[in-house]
């Protein structure tokens, strides 16, 4: 078998999502489920139709309970150790869709402790990134009345007392097996998964409710929540429901996952010129060596990063199909597809950057107050 | 070599304190040091003269800095999973002496997280014990203006952000070696020593100072602070100074350490009748089989628990020497020494219980407010 590694601390090789479904023991999001969602939400988000969110745990149970009139809440987060990129944006724009369609509360955790414990960065550096990242999350336009930021170090007063209840039920053996840890791991990193588990049930404790928690996440985060689901159940709370997203590929090709380092992705703070340069220069092309050959044989959608990225940013199915069709036939050149993508992304970024400008004035509105 | 085990989670066998000094790499408190303390404090506490506090780390450095006009602060604590007994009382009465003589701040940590993580007890049970134990600590009569209670779960908001800085510098290997942990330990217990390290420097952070921290403790707690000293130094703070106490023996004999379980010790809440009964019935006697033999051969002070315990409660050296002398010669019977001890203890308990009565009304005065 090929070398594939998917956990929160390591994604390597070409990711085979069918294999992940069977290895992780998760379920694919099928037609039947899509129809249920459409019936409730009035529409199906393109990321669902396009299998970007491709798998889940217990989503049926959540929908059953929603149809009986029970609300649920959303939980997602951000590890603040670098700039926000389009990979984050895509997940969060789906989260925003869920919040808007279902009119529900969103708990947003900034795992500054995790990043401090895992990265070779100072506490102050992480705090700076926390502020920067908060601006981007605010710029996403989440409903401020229904969105609550939890910063692990700032909200430790409410998170830690619950985290020890979680931690008491997790042995080092379990952590070792799930994350591939060794005796050289620092004791904070070993404890950390307990902190990440708490928002799965904290809102219910604070509000004296028993709602389902829905966590849309990149599939690499699943090992955290596999442990969480087990423990949260043992503590007498509802197991969190998960929706798993595929990785947005790096610009360099369809292997691994998008990250903030180097020229592998587009940052939310990149200007129009930078976006144009990055995509034209670094986005792996599925086109042929020469224009003549391309016109004759057509391009390869599957490995062309611009084509793949358009799945995230061209919401119109008809238009997307047309682009794919023309590119396959050689009617569209790689540079032309890239130009379409650049325009789409720059529009998104320009609006995001406008909203981001004075976002720090809104910190107080979003930070959870107990 | 005999089987001796001394760490925070296990004390076994007859404790050889000379061997501990060399194994732990600590220094004995010698005549020279006692004279320095006497010069500064105006007197030497009987526990120092009697080698109950028998060893230290860096006490000279602390005295050097004190003589230059720099203050230091005290840090001690309590793991709330059962009633307070005379073993705790003896350590804390020494802490009170230090606070009074040096007129300094005391930070008192209630490690409710530790007890929850290590004991087969519920969170609520531990919270109940925390309240009960706080009453006893207040009844000790510490200066309320200079004493600050930290409860790990209540003050996690200020402790956890510092604890992760500590944790980042401690690997599981270190914890495994220091406490004899295994892969089956829960991840909270593995992290916990970081929480216990924070009060070594937190007061300096809160008050923007750089004072020495002095920790008087039972020598079994030393492994925690060996790690703490190492890390606290690396974080740029002064290494905490330690004073080590021998264990107050259980009633049953001079092996192991006093604990709240069974009839091994006297609880601070025991009434006069119970004290009398426990000591008369359970205190191991160094006397002879018959009165006649005892009168002839005398008793053995070293194994007689009443004689040993009097070291803690008969502050007058002359009187103590007289008792030991008469007991050795057979002039005093075991029952008579027990009677002296019972009277001493009941006087202490009666005063303690009076102060303890409305102590819960003073919680607010002692709890640290940030």
């Amino acid at each position: 078998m090929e070398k594939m590694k998917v956990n929160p601390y390591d994604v390597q090789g070409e990711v085979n999502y069918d294999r992940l479904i069977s290895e992780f023991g998760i379920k694919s999001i099928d037609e039947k489920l899509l129809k249920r969602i459409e019936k409730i939400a009035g529409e199906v988000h393109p990321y669902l139709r396009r299998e970007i969110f491709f798998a889940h745990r217990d989503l049926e149970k959540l929908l059953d309970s929603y149809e009986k009139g029970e609300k649920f809440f959303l939980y997602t987060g951000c590890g603040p150790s670098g700039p926000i990129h389009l990979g984050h944006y895509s997940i969060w724009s789906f989260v925003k869709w869920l919040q808007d369609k279902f009119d529900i509360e969103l708990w947003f955790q900034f795992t500054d402790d995790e990043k401090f414990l895992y990265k070779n960065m100072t506490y102050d550096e992480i705090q700076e990134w926390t502020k920067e990242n908060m601006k981007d999350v605010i710029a996403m336009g989440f409903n401020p009345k229904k969105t609550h930021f939890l910063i692990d170090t700032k909200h430790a007063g409410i998170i830690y007392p619950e985290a020890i209840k979680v931690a008491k039920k997790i042995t080092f053996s379990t952590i070792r097996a799930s994350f591939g840890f060794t005796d050289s791991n620092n004791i904070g990193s070993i404890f950390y998964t307990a902190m990440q588990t708490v928002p799965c049930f904290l809102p219910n404790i604070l509000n004296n409710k028993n709602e389902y928690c829905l966590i849309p996440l990149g599939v690499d985060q699943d090992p955290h929540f596999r442990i969480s689901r087990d423990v949260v159940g043992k503590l007498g709370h509802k197991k969190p429901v998960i929706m798993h997203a595929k990785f947005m590929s790096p610009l360099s090709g369809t292997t691994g996952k998008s990250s903030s380092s180097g020229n592998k992705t587009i940052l939310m703070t990149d200007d129009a010129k930078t976006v144009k340069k990055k995509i034209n220069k670094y986005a792996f092309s599925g086109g042929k060596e020469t224009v003549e050959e391309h016109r004759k044989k057509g391009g390869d959608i599957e490995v062309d990063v611009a084509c793949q990225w358009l799945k995230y940013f061209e919401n119109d199915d008809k238009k997307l199909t047309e682009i794919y069709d023309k590119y396959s036939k050689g009617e569209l050149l790689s540079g032309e597809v890239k130009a379409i993508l650049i325009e789409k992304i720059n529009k998104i970024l320009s609006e995001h950057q406008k909203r981001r400008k004075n976002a720090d004035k809104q910190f107080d509105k979003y930070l959870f107050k107990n």
Side-chain angles (χ1 to χ4, degrees), chain A residues 139-197:
Chain A
M140 295 296 303
F142 294 117
N143 180 348
K145 284 189 185 138
K146 300 203 168 187
T147 303
H148 316 284
F149 288 0
L150 294 173
I151 304 176
D152 283 352
T153 62
K154 302 282 172 298
H155 293 85
I158 52 171
I159 301 174
Y160 182 77
E162 298 302 325
I164 59 173
K165 296 178 192 167
V166 173
K168 193 172 179 176
K169 299 204 177 290
I170 305 175
T171 65
F172 182 58
S173 302
T174 302
I175 296 294
R176 184 195 285 284
S178 298
F179 303 126
F181 283 5
T182 69
D183 283 14
S184 306
N185 266 87
N186 77 59
I187 60 173
S189 67
I190 293 169
F191 175 69
Y192 166 72
T193 200
M195 295 291 285
Q196 185 155 324
T197 298

Side-chain angles (χ1 to χ4, degrees), chain A residues 206-322:
Chain A
L206 295 170
N207 301 317
N208 200 20
K209 290 188 176 173
N210 188 23
E211 293 179 353
Y212 272 108
C213 167
L214 174 61
I215 311 175
L217 47 71
V219 67
D220 55 326
Q221 295 296 314
D222 189 71
H224 268 304
F225 292 101
R226 236 177 295 163
I227 298 176
S228 297
R229 279 171 50 86
D230 180 44
V231 176
V232 166
K234 284 184 190 161
L235 290 174
H237 305 289
K238 277 183 176 142
K239 288 185 182 187
V241 175
I242 320 282
M243 293 180 81
H244 304 87
K246 293 177 184 169
F247 307 121
M248 190 171 169
S249 74
L251 280 173
S252 52
T254 48
T255 297
K257 74 178 243 203
S258 213
S259 84
S260 305
S261 54
N263 287 304
K264 289 183 182 161
T265 193
I266 306 290
L267 307 181
M268 298 310 288
T269 45
D270 281 345
D271 60 26
K273 230 174 103 182
T274 307
V275 170
K276 191 174 174 183
K277 200 183 115 187
K278 275 189 182 175
I279 291 178
N280 281 330
K281 191 164 173 187
Y282 299 109
F284 188 83
S285 163
K288 296 296 178 292
E289 292 276 316
T290 62
V291 174
E292 291 68 35
E293 205 191 338
H294 188 82
R295 293 282 185 218
K296 205 156 50 179
K297 300 188 180 166
D300 183 348
I301 297 161
E302 290 308 317
V303 302
D304 187 88
V305 168
C307 283
Q308 288 305 311
W309 276 31
L310 276 170
K311 277 189 191 163
Y312 292 84
F313 307 111
E314 175 50 77
N315 287 348
D316 187 325
D317 286 351
K318 227 178 103 186
K319 282 189 190 165
L320 187 66
T321 311
E322 203 180 303

Side-chain angles (χ1 to χ4, degrees), chain A residues 43-140:
Chain A
E43 66 177 28
V44 165
H45 192 282
Y47 290 6
L48 287 167
R49 288 198 305 270
R50 293 171 188 175
E51 294 180 14
I52 289 171
F53 276 90
F54 72 109
H56 74 100
R57 293 183 188 271
D58 280 352
L59 188 55
E60 300 101 338
K61 286 190 190 170
L62 179 141
L63 294 177
D64 289 347
S65 114
Y66 188 83
E67 285 178 328
K68 281 182 197 143
E70 280 165 38
K71 288 265 178 189
F72 59 96
F73 65 89
L74 291 161
Y75 162 30
T76 189
C78 162
S81 65
I84 298 306
H85 55 68
L86 285 172
H88 301 111
Y89 172 85
S90 63
I91 299 267
W92 299 341
S93 64
F94 181 71
V95 172
K96 179 170 159 48
W97 180 82
L98 287 169
Q99 179 177 53
D100 292 344
K101 288 292 155 189
F102 291 86
D103 188 30
I104 48 180
E105 309 279 322
L106 163 63
W107 293 78
F108 206 109
Q109 183 181 32
F110 293 85
T111 61
D112 59 343
D113 53 347
E114 175 190 27
K115 289 303 173 186
F116 172 71
L117 288 162
Y118 285 93
K119 296 265 174 180
N120 189 18
M121 292 171 77
T122 68
Y123 195 83
D124 290 343
E125 283 166 347
I126 298 291
Q127 292 314 310
E128 274 313 303
W129 279 120
T130 304
K131 281 181 205 158
E132 287 304 307
N133 291 180
M134 276 167 62
K135 290 189 211 168
D136 285 296
V137 177
I138 288 171
M140 295 296 303

Side-chain angles (χ1 to χ4, degrees), chain A residues 27-35 37 54 56 60:
Chain A
K27 279 188 177 176
S28 67
I29 297 179
D30 58 14
E31 271 306 310
K32 202 177 136 197
L33 207 45
L34 288 182
K35 279 198 178 129
I37 294 169
F54 72 109
H56 74 100
E60 300 101 338

Side-chain angles (χ1 to χ4, degrees), chain A residues 144-145 147-149 361-369:
Chain A
K145 284 189 185 138
T147 303
H148 316 284
F149 288 0
K361 304 235 159 49
Q362 297 181 66
F363 282 176
D364 207 49
K365 205 153 69 177
Y366 282 92
L367 279 166
F368 177 67
K369 279 168 238 30

